[in-house]
């Protein structure tokens, strides 16, 4: 079989490396609109060859690993796809992508979200073990073909992932809280410090706490802009919930309710019981 990967950054590049480890595919082809990414992907051995979109369409399995708006655009360009082809998107929000799938390729399509990544991006960020022992969420499988479902499951199990199934609406609501909101908070934290008069002086003092919370503020603005755009309503609800907690903390502090503040923090400690 041949696999094709559209988008050769962190996720697409890592998928290329992971697929090579499985030996499931004779050839892994890549495609990226950025010529530098194409060159880097080839020099790093992320794919065997880079081709045009027409060449990718001939593959048995096609992975869509571009920013989310790019996934929607690419879906409209996939023409004359054979019935046996499996198309797998790897985007971080699902509902709008699923709604944009042309009816002619709906059976071919698997909506997937690997719960793995780093704050780095581009082909040089690719890691062969990025997906190992991580969760892959498969959404709205009832509208996908049986062959495509079996193919996707076989691939994800082969690269060491654990499969969870849910619908796209539920996915986007939950992921807004555990992935999209943390990125908004990290960007906000970084900008709060950068807006101060002498941020360099402040940053010279940073310890582990700030480093941990600000790490993902290094994530790609292009990719995350698309995520926030496509999952806007759920992200806004998550921000509102977070704002309520911040207002409660502010109230406890301003009123010097130290016992209440301690109870508020103790409640947060219980989160670790579920992880």
């Amino acid at each position: 079989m041949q696999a094709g990967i559209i988008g050769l950054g962190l996720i697409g590049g890592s998928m290329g490396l992971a697929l090579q480890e499985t030996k499931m595919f004779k050839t892994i082809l890549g495609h990226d609109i950025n010529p530098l990414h194409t060159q880097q992907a080839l020099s790093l051995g992320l794919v065997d060859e880079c081709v045009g979109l027409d060449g990718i369409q001939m593959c048995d399995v096609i992975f869509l690993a571009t920013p989310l708006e790019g996934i929607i655009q690419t879906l409209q360009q996939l023409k004359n796809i054979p019935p046996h082809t499996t198309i797998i998107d790897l985007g971080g929000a699902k509902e709008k992508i699923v709604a944009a799938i042309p009816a002619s390729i709906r059976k071919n399509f698997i909506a997937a979200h690997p719960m793995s990544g780093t704050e780095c991006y581009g082909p040089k960020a690719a890691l062969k073990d990025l997906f190992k022992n991580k969760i892959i969420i498969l959404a709205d499988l009832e509208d996908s073909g049986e062959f495509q479902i079996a193919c996707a499951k076989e691939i994800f199990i082969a690269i060491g992932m654990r499969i969870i199934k849910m619908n796209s609406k539920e996915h986007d609501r939950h992921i807004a809280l555990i992935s999209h909101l943390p990125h908004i908070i990290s960007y906000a934290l970084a900008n709060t410090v950068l807006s101060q008069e002498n941020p360099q002086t402040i940053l010279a003092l940073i310890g582990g706490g700030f480093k941990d919370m600000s790490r993902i503020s290094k994530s790609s603005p292009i990719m995350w802009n698309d995520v926030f755009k496509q999952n806007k309503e759920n992200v806004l609800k998550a921000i509102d919930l977070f704002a309520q907690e911040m207002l409660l903390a502010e109230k406890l502090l301003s009123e010097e309710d130290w016992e209440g503040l301690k109870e508020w923090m103790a409640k947060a400690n219980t989160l670790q019981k579920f992880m």
Side-chain angles (χ1 to χ4, degrees):
M1 291 197 301
Q2 270 193 337
I5 303 172
I6 301 175
L8 299 173
L10 168 67
I11 298 298
S14 297
M15 182 57 69
L17 292 174
L19 294 178
Q20 290 174 36
E21 293 286 305
T22 69
K23 311 296 184 185
M24 293 176 67
F25 297 95
K26 182 179 179 181
T27 312
I28 300 170
L29 302 180
H31 175 78
D32 199 295
I33 60 172
N34 186 328
L36 178 60
H37 283 189
T38 297
Q39 182 183 7
Q40 290 176 338
L42 287 172
S43 65
L44 292 166
L46 307 184
V47 293
D48 298 313
E49 182 183 351
C50 284
V51 298
L53 192 59
D54 289 344
I56 295 291
Q57 291 189 143
M58 297 298 103
C59 292
D60 300 282
V61 181
I62 301 170
F63 292 92
L64 307 180
T66 66
L68 302 194
E69 295 293 296
I71 290 175
I72 289 178
Q73 292 170 15
T74 302
L75 286 171
Q76 314 315 310
Q77 297 170 18
L78 296 179
K79 309 290 184 183
N80 303 315
I81 297 296
H84 73 274
T85 301
T86 301
I87 303 168
I88 304 173
D89 101 272
L90 301 172
K94 298 267 74 91
E95 198 170 2
K96 291 200 172 179
I97 288 175
V98 170
I101 305 167
S104 61
I105 59 171
R106 182 61 188 92
K107 290 292 183 183
N108 299 91
F109 189 85
I110 301 290
H113 180 196
M115 297 301 295
S116 54
T118 73
E119 71 277 14
C120 303
Y121 51 95
K124 291 184 177 180
L127 300 167
K128 71 174 183 177
D129 291 330
L130 183 69
F131 306 111
K132 193 165 288 184
N133 299 320
K134 301 297 193 329
I135 289 170
I136 181 79
I137 301 171
L138 304 183
D140 296 347
L141 288 180
E142 64 276 7
D143 295 319
S144 301
E146 289 186 12
F147 175 82
Q148 283 75 16
I149 294 171
C151 178
K153 286 182 176 179
E154 183 180 2
I155 291 169
F156 290 127
I157 290 170
I159 64 174
M161 303 199 80
R162 294 178 289 128
I163 297 171
I164 291 179
K165 295 177 270 187
M166 62 177 60
N167 65 59
S168 56
K169 187 180 289 290
E170 183 183 23
H171 168 277
D172 286 4
R173 188 172 67 249
H174 294 339
I175 296 302
L177 286 166
I178 63 169
S179 175
H180 304 170
L181 178 62
H183 278 81
I184 286 279
I185 293 169
S186 188
Y187 286 126
L189 178 62
N191 284 330
T192 298
V193 173
L194 290 171
S195 68
Q196 303 307 301
E197 188 173 345
N198 293 303
Q200 295 89 346
T201 302
I202 299 170
L203 292 171
L205 308 173
I206 63 173
F210 184 86
K211 286 182 179 178
D212 289 345
M213 292 193 64
S214 64
R215 177 182 60 82
I216 55 176
S217 67
K218 291 169 57 181
S219 300
S220 167
I222 295 172
M223 187 193 84
W224 280 97
N225 191 65
D226 280 7
V227 170
F228 298 143
K229 180 179 179 181
Q230 287 202 15
N231 202 24
K232 182 186 80 170
E233 296 305 323
N234 287 310
V235 174
L236 285 172
K237 289 175 184 175
I239 291 173
D240 182 60
L241 291 170
F242 182 74
Q244 290 177 39
E245 290 295 327
M246 291 298 289
L247 288 171
L248 174 57
E250 182 183 44
K251 180 175 182 291
L252 294 169
L253 279 166
S254 63
E255 295 179 357
E256 298 188 0
D257 183 355
W258 308 123
E259 192 60 34
L261 185 64
K262 186 167 67 176
E263 290 175 4
W264 181 75
M265 292 186 287
K267 178 184 175 184
N269 289 163
T270 64
L271 175 69
Q272 303 307 314
K273 296 177 182 177
F274 303 98
M275 297 172 67

